[in-house]
Amino acid sequence: MLFIQKYDETILPKEFHNINNICAILFDQIVDIYRYGIYEDFTSHNIFFGGNIKSIDIEGFKSEDDLIRFLLDNNLRSELNDALTKKICSAIISDFSHFVYEAISSAKKCKTTVAFSLLRKPFTDELTILERLFVDPEGFIENFYIEGDINKYDPSNDRTKNNIDHLELIRDCKKKMKYSLLIFPSLVYDIRYEKSFKGAIQEVTNKSIHIVTKQRYYKTEAKDLNYIFDSVSNIDHYLHLFYTNTFYMLLYSASIIDELYFKYLTNQEHVTLRKSKALRRLFSMVLLRGFCKDESDIQAFEMILSVFEKNKMQCSTCSHEFTPIGTDLEYFFFEENLKCPRCLNTIINSEKDLEAFVSKFEIILNVKNND
C-alpha cells in the first residue's frame, strides 16, 4: 500500500508523507480502470457489423492476429484502431503501474537508488506510446500492427531511428487535452529527456543503474561511485528529487491516460468523473506549492484558491451553509468529498451532488496556460 496512514510505522521522514500520499492518489487515478466497474466499457467495443451494432470482447480473441484479421477482413479499420488502442493502452498502463508502484514503494523505504532505477521505462518509453496513441492512434496502429516496423514505433529518444520529436509530441498532447492547466510541456520534456537538466530522469536512472557514468552532464567524479557513498548521508536531497519529479510526471501521466479513457467513456457519470479527477489534480498542485518551490504560475494557484473559497456550500443533512477553506480543498483531494463543519456529515453523497460541486469550477478547469 502506497498511502501512509496517520499512525503507520515508516522510516520515511515525516516531511515527505504528504507528497507521498498525493503521489498515491495520482497513482490510483491511473489504475482506477482495474478497480472500478465504471471503466468496464473501456475493455469492450461496439462495432457496426452487418447493419447492426455488435459487441465484441477484445480479450475474447485467442490472439491479436485473430482480432486484427477479423476487423480487417470486414473492412472495419476505424474499429480496428479503437479496439487495438484500448488493448495496447490496457497492457501498457498495467506494466506502467507496476514499475511506478515499486518505485514509490522503494522511496517509502528510503531506497532511493532502487526507486530512481525504476522510473525510466514508465515515464519515457511507455508514456511515449500512450502519448502517440492519444495524439495519432491511426499512425501508431499502422506502424505497430500493420507495418510491424520496430524502428517506427521504438519510443527511444534517438531521433535518428524513429524521428520522434518528443517536445513537439508533448506540446501536441497539451493542445489536444481537454483539461491542461498547469501542464508545462517544456518542464515535462526536461524531466524526461534533457540530459543537462539537473536531477532529470536521464541522470538519476543512469546513475542509479551504473556505478560509473561518463556522459558529460552527469559524469562520475574521480575517486567516486554513483550514489554509493552519499545515498544515505544525503537521503533528504534524493527523496525530494524523487518525489518532486515523480509527482509532476504522475500529474501529466494521469492527464494523458484520462484522455485515453474518456475518449471512449462518455456517459454523464463518466463526464462528471473526468471533471472530478481533473479538479483533484489541480488541487494537488496547490497542496504542494510550498514543497515543490515552484512559483511559475502563481496567478493560477491564486485563482484556484479564490474560486474554491468563493463557492458557498450547503449541507443536505443540517442545511448549514458554509464557505470552504483550504483544509476543505485538501479533504476533497484525498476523499473526493467535503464535510459540513457543523454536523460533520459528508455533503457529496450522490453523482448529482458531485456534478453540482465540480460544475462550480468549470472556469478553472477550462483555463489554458502558456508553456
Side-chain angles (χ1 to χ4, degrees):
M1 185 175 182
L2 299 180
F3 198 90
I4 300 174
Q5 302 289 347
K6 185 175 181 179
Y7 297 108
D8 285 350
E9 292 186 9
T10 175
I11 64 171
L12 185 70
K14 191 172 182 178
E15 61 264 34
F16 298 102
H17 288 195
N18 189 49
I19 191 170
N20 177 88
N21 289 347
I22 289 173
C23 286
I25 296 296
L26 296 179
F27 175 83
D28 284 348
Q29 285 201 354
I30 290 170
V31 299
D32 276 351
I33 188 174
Y34 308 109
R35 304 163 68 214
Y36 299 114
I38 194 171
Y39 290 88
E40 62 184 357
D41 288 344
F42 189 78
T43 56
S44 65
H45 188 57
N46 291 327
I47 63 172
F48 284 97
F49 184 65
N52 298 310
I53 295 179
K54 180 178 179 181
S55 180
I56 62 171
D57 182 0
I58 296 173
E59 302 297 336
F61 287 85
K62 292 181 180 179
S63 70
E64 294 169 353
D65 288 340
D66 287 344
L67 173 61
I68 295 169
R69 190 177 302 109
F70 172 82
L71 295 173
L72 287 179
D73 287 349
N74 289 283
N75 297 315
L76 299 169
R77 182 57 190 270
S78 177
E79 285 77 6
L80 171 69
N81 290 335
D82 287 342
L84 292 182
T85 293
K86 292 180 179 182
K87 188 173 184 67
I88 299 168
C89 283
S90 295
I92 291 291
I93 293 167
S94 176
D95 193 68
F96 176 102
S97 64
H98 292 323
F99 274 82
V100 174
Y101 182 93
E102 294 302 330
I104 299 174
S105 295
S106 296
K108 271 181 62 181
K109 300 170 185 175
C110 294
K111 298 178 180 179
T112 52
T113 303
V114 177
F116 286 145
S117 70
L118 294 167
L119 295 181
R120 174 172 292 184
K121 185 182 180 184
F123 289 145
T124 57
D125 293 359
E126 291 179 322
L127 184 53
T128 296
I129 292 176
L130 296 176
E131 288 169 324
R132 289 192 63 192
L133 285 169
F134 171 43
V135 171
D136 182 23
E138 295 83 3
F140 184 82
I141 297 301
E142 180 73 24
N143 295 159
F144 189 73
Y145 275 101
I146 308 304
E147 298 174 323
D149 184 348
I150 61 173
N151 290 320
K152 292 186 178 180
Y153 63 80
D154 175 12
S156 166
N157 194 41
D158 186 348
R159 299 182 188 180
T160 62
K161 291 181 180 179
N162 52 35
N163 297 317
I164 295 177
D165 185 332
H166 287 275
L167 179 56
E168 191 61 30
L169 179 60
I170 297 166
R171 285 174 173 160
D172 288 342
C173 286
K174 178 185 168 64
K175 291 175 186 175
K176 196 174 180 181
M177 281 181 185
K178 184 173 179 63
Y179 305 124
S180 62
L181 181 62
L182 302 182
I183 296 295
F184 300 98
S186 59
L187 178 58
V188 174
Y189 177 85
D190 286 346
I191 291 174
R192 294 164 70 189
Y193 300 113
E194 182 52 59
K195 291 181 172 64
S196 63
F197 189 79
K198 196 64 178 173
I201 289 174
Q202 292 293 318
E203 176 188 4
V204 297
T205 55
N206 271 305
K207 292 178 75 172
S208 62
I209 293 171
H210 302 292
I211 291 293
V212 172
T213 48
K214 298 178 181 179
Q215 218 286 338
R216 63 190 179 100
Y217 292 113
Y218 42 85
K219 185 177 180 180
T220 305
E221 297 291 334
K223 302 179 184 179
D224 198 4
L225 300 171
N226 290 331
Y227 295 156
I228 297 298
F229 299 117
D230 61 348
S231 61
V232 175
S233 59
N234 288 328
I235 187 64
D236 284 358
H237 166 73
Y238 290 124
L239 286 171
H240 192 279
L241 185 61
F242 172 84
Y243 277 113
T244 50
N245 282 351
T246 299
F247 160 72
Y248 197 72
M249 289 314 306
L250 283 173
L251 185 82
Y252 176 70
S253 300
S255 300
I256 293 292
I257 291 170
D258 264 9
E259 293 290 345
L260 292 164
Y261 285 158
F262 294 111
K263 175 182 178 180
Y264 302 102
L265 305 175
T266 57
N267 293 338
Q268 183 56 48
E269 61 180 345
H270 296 131
V271 172
T272 300
L273 176 62
R274 182 181 189 178
K275 288 191 287 188
S276 177
K277 291 177 72 176
L279 186 62
R280 293 172 81 189
R281 290 195 293 270
L282 288 183
F283 287 176
S284 73
M285 293 288 285
V286 177
L287 296 176
L288 284 180
R289 178 177 156 194
F291 183 90
C292 294
K293 300 180 175 62
D294 183 3
E295 303 295 333
S296 59
D297 207 331
I298 192 169
Q299 289 184 332
F301 291 130
E302 291 175 345
M303 179 182 65
I304 293 170
L305 283 170
S306 175
V307 173
F308 185 80
E309 294 176 350
K310 287 179 180 177
N311 274 293
K312 290 188 177 296
M313 309 293 170
Q314 186 170 33
C315 176
S316 58
T317 302
C318 70
S319 298
H320 175 62
E321 189 175 73
F322 66 97
T323 301
I325 57 176
T327 53
D328 295 308
L329 182 149
E330 181 177 14
Y331 190 82
F332 180 80
F333 172 78
F334 284 111
E335 304 294 337
E336 202 172 13
N337 217 316
L338 293 177
K339 272 189 175 181
C340 171
R342 175 182 289 176
C343 69
L344 301 182
N345 285 310
T346 57
I347 69 169
I348 301 176
N349 300 306
S350 67
E351 182 190 333
K352 184 178 179 180
D353 291 341
L354 182 60
E355 168 60 28
F357 176 77
V358 297
S359 65
K360 296 175 182 290
F361 300 94
E362 291 283 354
I363 187 174
I364 293 176
L365 291 173
N366 293 314
V367 169
K368 306 293 183 182
N369 61 268
N370 297 318
D371 183 17

